[in-house]
Amino acid sequence: TLVGIRAGRAALIEDSAVEHCGASGSTTLHAIQAGAGAIVSGCRLLGNVTAGSGSVMVRSSAYGSSPYNYNTDIGDASVIADSFFNQGGQSVVNIRSGSLFENNGIAALESPYACQLQANNGSLIAGSVLALGENGKLAATYDCYILGNQFNGTPVDLGSGYSRLDRNMLISTGTCVNASGPHNLIIRNSFSSGSTQWIANASDDSVGVVITQSVIGSASPWGNVSLRP
């Protein structure tokens, strides 16, 4: 594995442009490999990015294009904020358990438009714009809180259950939310979808009634809103 910067625990990597050191775009090439407690700030990255638990990535951008689908993998109890991921068609941004992903953007650049944000147990995804592609998704495992995001052509998968989806804008040509896991809470979201099945597989979940713009004034404050009657 070829690495642009390899750093140990509690490292500070700041205001740098970092590219993997390989001659080709193999997916084994890393821009950064850092240990636990690392801080990556103000960096422009080409290649895979990994950091250990308790790490912080802020004001940075990560780039990758197909067929070289570079991935970002940040350890437990970490923070990614104010950053942008301009990714290849099947890249994955993976945040481990108990982490915060706030005020970020992800865009799938190329076919097959199947990027993925993987949010592990007890993570918070907030205030971000996610355009992961028509074949991509946000996949949340247990006990995640997904609050105030915009999903552009990106479905949300709550397959593990026990997560909260609240005050998001979801735009899709098909189903916006797959709630196949048990005991999810889905409230106060707005849907703009080519399908009338905004939420699928929600029989074991708590779901605010989906209302239309014409009746919003008299509906439950916990309800979800369809922008396409």
Side-chain angles (χ1 to χ4, degrees), residues 89-94 106 114-118 132 136-139:
Q90 292 178 294
S91 297
V92 177
V93 177
N94 186 25
I106 304 178
C115 290
Q116 183 168 312
L117 174 58
Q118 175 68 54
L132 302 176
K137 63 182 178 180
L138 163 62

Side-chain angles (χ1 to χ4, degrees), residues 13 39-45 49 55-63 72 74 79-87 93 95 100-107 117 126-131 149:
I13 305 168
I39 297 176
V40 179
S41 176
C43 291
R44 174 80 167 87
L45 308 169
V49 177
S55 293
V56 176
M57 179 177 178
V58 293
R59 299 187 300 104
S60 296
S61 63
Y63 173 81
T72 299
I74 304 295
V79 174
I80 300 179
D82 301 324
S83 294
F84 184 66
F85 300 85
N86 208 8
Q87 299 290 69
V93 177
I95 59 170
L100 170 65
F101 186 90
E102 183 176 24
N103 198 34
N104 300 298
I106 304 178
L117 174 58
S128 296
V129 178
L130 306 177
N149 304 283

Side-chain angles (χ1 to χ4, degrees), residues 118-144:
Q118 175 68 54
N120 287 281
N121 301 2
S123 291
L124 170 61
I125 313 298
S128 296
V129 178
L130 306 177
L132 302 176
E134 59 194 31
N135 299 308
K137 63 182 178 180
L138 163 62
T141 58
Y142 299 99
D143 303 313
C144 288

